[in-house]
Each structure stands twice: as structure tokens, then as C-alpha cells.
Amino acid sequence: MKWGVVTLFPNMVADALAHGVIGKAQQRGLVELTTFNPRAYATDLRQTVDDRPYGGGPGMLMKVEPLRASIADARKKLRTAPVVYLSPQGELLTQSLAQELAELPELILVCGRYEGIDERVVELDIDREVSLGDFVLSGGEPAAIAMCDAIGRLVPGVLGHVDSAAKDSFSDGLLDCPHYTRPEDIVNSRVPDVLLSGNHGDIAQWRRKQALGRTWLRRPEILEQKELSDEDQLLLDEFIRESKS
Ligand code: 9WO
């Protein structure tokens, strides 16, 4: 998959995505990142990339011409890519949207800085506006990095273990079950016996029950929108009964 990221801080994005499974995926040629810096398209001596907002008020906006020229160049290299602007005004990024975007061959992400970008650039050059949640950052880069990470790990071959992505939290819409590693005992807090039993059927059932139970406790609205199988419903009923005793 080919990513183009339009950003005034290309090193921030490239450095962040050089680590771990996404860094390895780039080395293996499974994903490819190209950055486009609006500053490189600025035409004045000072290489200006900000401009004042009409109507006044504090803060600056991204200067239109260098921003549009950098997006145009990204489009030229990645001809089939939708152009996504990261902002709190966008549709929420979900695992299902990440899966949808991971199926594309190309994607362009635009990172805003300052107080954002001219609305006509959104209308003219942006295909989709995406938000990670209801909070404000100092720029779109951390959101673009998170989005590339969420999408990149879904690209076939990126995760070593073939089905790790399928087993993740959210792959079937539930929260993840708790995990344990050594030692068996930490200040009298023990690993649940079932995980030491070697009975893989029991272990799978316990994990499913914990995933259902935690979703019920922490994100009940997720369960309300989900049709549970009879087996899942029994496991959840058991979890709820045990939580009350
Ligand atoms: C700045 C600002 C200042 C005063 C009052 C309101 C304000 N809103 C903003 C603002 O939204 N600044 C943005 C910073 C401009 C575009 C890039 N920035 C950004 C992206 N912040 N947060 C995101 C973001 C992106 C995706 N998901 C969550 C947050």
C-alpha cells in the first residue's frame, strides 16, 4: 500500500512510522510512505506556509497555494488515492473504516497545523474528513501516524503471525480479554488458573467470556448494537451472574 502524507513536519511522521511492525513493513516493501511538505511549494523568499484568517481573530491558517500545490503533487504520484483530512470535524475512525481503507492500493493524508485550513480547500481537494475522537491536537500529524498504524497492520503480510489482526480487540467488535505473562504470582495476585490448565477449549471459552464481560462493563453501547450468538449470550449471562456474586 502506498501512503502520501502532506505535512509541514515530514520527519515527525516518517520517524514515528519507522518503528515496529510498520517500520519492518516499509523495509519489506509492503507499505511505502512518501511525504509532501507544503513548505517545499512556497514561492516567496521566506517560504511562507501560514496566512491570516479573514474575519480576524487569533491564530493563523495554512497558506492556500503551497498547501494545494503539495496536495496536487501527492495526487500526481498517487493517482488513485482518496485524499483524507485529519480533523475533529471528520467522521470517526473505527476498525471497520480502517479495514475499508486498508483494502485500497493508495491513500493520501493531509495534516493541518495552526488553526486549520481554508474551507474551500476542504471542498475542492479533500475527499473525506476523518477524526480519531473528540479532542484537539496541535496538528494532524499524530492522528495521521495513528491512522497509518491502524491501517498498515491490516495490510496482508504486515503482521508476522498471520491471524493476529483477526484475533485483536475490535476485530469482531468486542473489547480484548485480559492478558497475563510471567511470573505466575505478582504480590499475591495470581494468573487465572484456567490459563495454566493447558485446556485450550476452556481457555478459548474463558477469553471469550472475559471479552464479552469487559465490553458489557466498559462499553455497553457496543453490545446493544450487536446480535450475540446463543453461546456468547450464555457466556455473558454467566459473567454478569458472577459479577453480582
Ligand atoms: C484550534 C483551535 C484554537 C481555538 C479554538 C478551537 C480550535 N480548534 C483548533 C483546531 O482544530 N486546530 C486543528 C489542529 C487544525 C487542524 C489540525 N489540528 C488538529 C487535528 N487538531 N486535532 C486534530 C485531530 C485530528 C484527528 N482526530 C482528532 C484530532
Side-chain angles (χ1 to χ4, degrees):
M1 183 176 195
K2 292 181 176 172
W3 295 328
V5 178
V6 174
T7 170
L8 289 171
F9 298 101
N11 294 340
M12 178 179 177
V13 175
D15 290 354
L17 293 172
H19 300 274
V21 290
I22 305 298
K24 190 57 58 69
Q26 289 191 72
Q27 289 174 12
R28 292 195 286 160
L30 294 170
V31 303
E32 183 187 305
L33 170 68
T34 309
T35 56
F36 299 85
N37 188 345
R39 196 172 295 280
Y41 302 81
T43 50
D44 61 322
L45 216 56
R46 314 193 86 96
Q47 300 211 292
T48 307
V49 290
D50 62 351
D51 210 342
R52 291 148 58 209
Y54 280 117
M60 298 291 273
L61 297 174
M62 291 183 78
K63 187 172 175 59
V64 165
E65 294 85 349
L67 175 61
R68 293 201 72 203
S70 59
I71 295 172
D73 210 24
R75 271 195 196 278
K76 213 162 111 186
K77 180 178 167 72
L78 305 169
R79 291 183 177 276
T80 74
V83 179
V84 172
Y85 179 51
L86 284 312
S87 98
Q89 284 75 44
E91 58 177 314
L92 272 183
L93 179 65
T94 58
Q95 194 62 24
S96 127
L97 178 54
Q99 269 152 9
E100 184 190 318
L101 296 174
E103 286 168 19
L104 302 176
E106 301 176 333
L107 181 66
I108 295 169
L109 301 178
V110 176
C111 303
R113 277 277 153 178
Y114 317 117
E115 311 322 311
I117 72 182
D118 188 295
E119 192 60 24
R120 294 164 298 176
V121 176
V122 177
E123 291 162 9
L124 290 168
D125 299 323
I126 302 295
D127 298 309
R128 217 157 167 172
E129 213 169 329
V130 172
S131 167
L132 300 199
D134 296 335
F135 49 84
V136 181
L137 302 166
S138 46
E141 286 81 2
I145 291 160
M147 210 164 140
C148 287
D149 190 274
I151 291 168
R153 59 192 296 292
L154 298 175
V155 170
V158 167
L159 293 186
H161 203 272
V162 272
D163 61 352
S164 338
K167 284 187 178 167
D168 273 337
S169 166
F170 273 117
S171 64
D172 66 352
L174 296 178
L175 301 187
D176 209 359
C177 64
H179 301 282
Y180 299 88
T181 184
R182 295 184 296 175
E184 270 183 41
D185 195 309
I186 306 177
V187 290
N188 264 337
S189 179
R190 286 192 50 76
V191 175
D193 283 331
V194 60
L195 297 179
L196 308 173
S197 71
N199 184 327
H200 297 293
D202 284 0
I203 290 169
Q205 198 172 65
W206 179 86
R207 286 181 171 154
R208 185 75 187 168
K209 180 169 152 186
Q210 295 301 312
L212 288 159
R214 291 217 308 191
T215 308
W216 173 74
L217 283 171
R218 300 183 189 189
R219 299 290 302 279
E221 79 282 7
I222 292 178
L223 285 182
E224 271 147 36
Q225 290 160 29
K226 203 172 146 70
E227 188 67 56
L228 293 186
S229 69
D230 293 351
E231 196 186 342
D232 278 350
Q233 191 61 57
L234 284 172
L235 287 172
L236 178 57
D237 290 345
E238 210 172 86
F239 183 99
I240 294 172
R241 221 177 316 119
E242 287 164 9
S243 77
K244 286 171 178 164
S245 62

